[in-house]
Amino acid sequence: FLLELLQECGKLEIHRAVDTSGFAPTATLMSIAEQTDLFLFDIKHMDSEKHRFHTGVPNELILHNLKVLSTAGHSINARIPLISDVNDDENNIRKTAIFLSACPTVKTVDILPYHPSARTKYKKLDIDYQGEKMKVPENEKITSVVSLFSEFGLEVRIGG
């Protein structure tokens, strides 16, 4: 369905952006890439076991797919959901910045600080909100994260 939708949008000269976690077979992602103008690619954690703990899946395929897309010349904005005590430690941020700076077509990094705004939506749907225990990153932490990514030559935006 996505491939057909992207093809039809292309025929109408509509800009095509795909927001992805990158957790898909590489061949599938590459076929989608041929019909995509921009990828919004989430990077949640560089440590595979911590990634698995927080998301349910390891990150090797995700990181591989980002490298493959970038090496093939596809335009990518990296997106980092920043969550206190999950992925905001300096070691993880530095590893992420090193990885992204080695991807030739990743120039922009969107830092997406966690916020509990979904709480109300979950309550209306009578669904347990798993984000209740997560903490909003402090402004000082966000500033230090932006600074670290900037040191690696990446354009950094907050939000996005």
Side-chain angles (χ1 to χ4, degrees), residues 19-60:
D19 190 346
T20 183
S21 71
F23 191 73
T26 304
T28 301
L29 199 59
M30 293 308 288
S31 68
I32 295 296
E34 295 307 316
Q35 302 298 322
T36 302
D37 300 304
L38 173 67
F39 281 94
L40 306 176
F41 203 110
D42 290 356
I43 298 293
K44 296 179 178 90
H45 211 294
M46 292 304 292
D47 180 279
S48 190
E49 284 308 310
K50 289 179 182 178
H51 191 279
R52 181 191 302 270
F53 178 80
H54 291 290
T55 68
V57 299
N59 70 357
E60 288 85 2

Side-chain angles (χ1 to χ4, degrees), residues 50-118:
K50 289 179 182 178
H51 191 279
R52 181 191 302 270
F53 178 80
H54 291 290
T55 68
V57 299
N59 70 357
E60 288 85 2
L61 177 61
I62 294 164
L63 298 178
H64 170 76
N65 282 340
L66 179 57
K67 249 325 177 198
V68 168
L69 279 173
S70 184
T71 302
H74 297 284
S75 187
I76 302 167
N77 284 4
R79 297 164 51 91
I80 308 205
L82 191 67
I83 304 170
S84 289
D85 300 329
V86 172
N87 67 345
D88 70 338
D89 62 279
E90 185 176 346
N91 182 47
N92 181 62
I93 296 302
R94 183 169 300 283
K95 286 181 178 178
T96 306
I98 290 167
F99 179 81
L100 293 175
S101 67
C103 295
T105 62
V106 175
K107 303 295 182 220
T108 304
V109 177
D110 294 322
I111 304 297
L112 309 172
Y114 169 78
H115 54 81
S117 64

Side-chain angles (χ1 to χ4, degrees), residues 10-27:
K11 290 176 186 174
L12 297 171
E13 298 182 8
I14 297 172
H15 185 268
R16 300 157 295 173
V18 172
D19 190 346
T20 183
S21 71
F23 191 73
T26 304

